[in-house]
Amino acid sequence: MSRQDIFQDALQRVREIGADAGVAPEVIAELMHPKAMLTATLPVRMDDGSTRYFVGYRCRYNTVLGPTKGGVRYHPQVTQAEVQALALWMTIKCAVVGLPYGGAKGGVNVQPKELSPLELERLSRAYVRAMADFIGPNIDIPAPDVYTNARIMGWMMDEYEAIHRVRAPGVITGKPIALGGSLGREEATGRGAYLVTMELIRRQGLDPKQLRVAVQGLGNAGYHVARLLQLEGMRIVALSDSRGGIHAEQGFDVDSIWKEKQSSRRVRAVYCAQSVCELVEHQQISNQELLGLDVDILIPAALEGVITPDNVDQVRAPYIIEVANGPILSDAESVLLERGTVIVPDVLANAGGVTVSYFEWVQNRSGYAWTLDEVRERLAEVMTRAFGEVWQVAADEERSLRSAAYARAFRRIGDAVGAHGTREYFQEGRQQD
Ligand code: GLU
C-alpha cells in the first residue's frame, strides 16, 4: 500500500465506523479534513560543510477538543499522507482516553541513522525554526515518535524558546527530566500497553504465565511493554528491530537484549557475536516471519501497514495489541475479525505515551513536578478506565474494540461540536422567533 493510501485507508475507517455507530454526519465531516498542514524545506549544514535540504511536515488535524498534540518522527519513508493519517489517529486517540487535546503529527523525511549527532541537532533546530509559529504551548505541542527522543525534544524546546524569547517548557513533551520532562514519560507508551494487555487477559480469564508473546520493533515502546509483560511471567519468545528478529521458545530476557542492542545497535548482531547469544538457543527470523509465529499475543510495535491482505493469512495469534500506530490495514483487519482475533487498537493500546505527555504539560503549566508513583498511578487510572469504557461499548453494541474505541471518540468529539449548537438547535430557535 502506498503512503497516499494509508491516509485514505484511515479516512475510510472513520467513515465506516461513523456510519455504523450512528454518529452525526457533521462530526464525521469534521474529521475528513486536516485543519492545517505545514510543509517546509529544512536546510541543514552537514559536518563536511555541504548543505542538505530535508522536507519537514507538521499537520494539525483537529482542534475541537483542545490544542493539537502529537509526535514528530524522523524516518526515510515519511510523507505528507502518512503524517496526516498519524495526525488523524492522534485526534481519535486523545478523545478515546479523554485528554483535552486535538490531534497532530510531524515528520521529517530523513534516515536519521546516517546523521552525526551534530547534524541531528541542526536538523531538529531547523525543524523548529520552520514550525515556530505553527506550534506553541496552547496551540500545538510536539513530542517524540519513531526515531526521535528526549534529547531531540530538548533541542527543539531550546530553539523555540530562543526564537520567542520566553521560557516555554509546555511547548513540547517527552523532554529530558532535567529540562522539565516528566518522570515516567519514557516508559509510558509501553506501560500503557502493558496495562491494557493485563486488563484484556484478566477479562479473558487467561493466566499470564501460560502466554507466549512476540514483539515486532524493539524501540522505546516495544522494549517497555515486553519488559513489563515479562515481569508478569509471560514468555517473550520473539523480538525484532528494523533489520530482523530472533525467536526462541523458552523466551528471552528482554533487559539483557535491550542492553546489548544499545551497544551493538542491532538486535540480530546481539545474538550471534555477543553474550546473549550464548545464553539462549535461538533462531534468526525476518520481520515477516515474526508476524506469522504461533504465539498467544502478537505486538506490532514498529511501523504502520505491516499486516496487509497479502500476509494476513499467516497471522496466527488470537490476540494482537497494536503498540505501533496503524499496523493493520483495514482490509486485513476484517479478515482477522472474521476469524475471531481480538485486536486492541492503537488509539487505546498506545495512548499511554500521550497521556503522560499530558501529565508533563500539566506539570509544566503548574510548575510543580509529580513523583514517579503519582505518574504511574494516574496513568493506570486513565488506561484502566478507558479500557473498561471501550470494552463496555464493544459488549453493549457488539462491536470490535477498534470500532468501540472510535465510536467513543466520535461521541466525545460530537459532544464538543454539539455544545456550540447543532443544526436541530438552531432550526428550533428559528421556529420560536
Ligand atoms: N508519538 C506518540 C504517539 O503516537 C506520543 C505523542 C505525544 O506524546 O504527544 O502517541
Side-chain angles (χ1 to χ4, degrees), residues 42-86:
L42 315 175
V44 176
R45 173 86 63 201
M46 307 305 281
D47 291 345
D48 67 2
S50 66
T51 300
R52 268 181 72 184
Y53 297 84
F54 297 94
V55 184
Y57 304 96
R58 185 76 187 164
C59 173
R60 299 187 60 219
Y61 202 91
N62 186 275
T63 52
V64 166
L65 291 177
T68 50
K69 184 88 192 79
V72 181
R73 67 172 53 178
Y74 288 175
H75 196 273
Q77 277 163 22
V78 164
T79 61
Q80 176 170 336
E82 182 198 40
V83 169
Q84 289 177 177
L86 289 158

Side-chain angles (χ1 to χ4, degrees), residues 69-72 90 93 105 141-146 173 185 189 325 350-351 353-355 357:
K69 184 88 192 79
V72 181
M90 282 308 301
K93 191 187 302 184
K105 201 75 170 201
I141 306 119
D145 196 77
V146 174
T173 59
R185 173 63 186 86
T189 309
N325 288 305
N350 71 26
V354 71
T355 301
S357 273

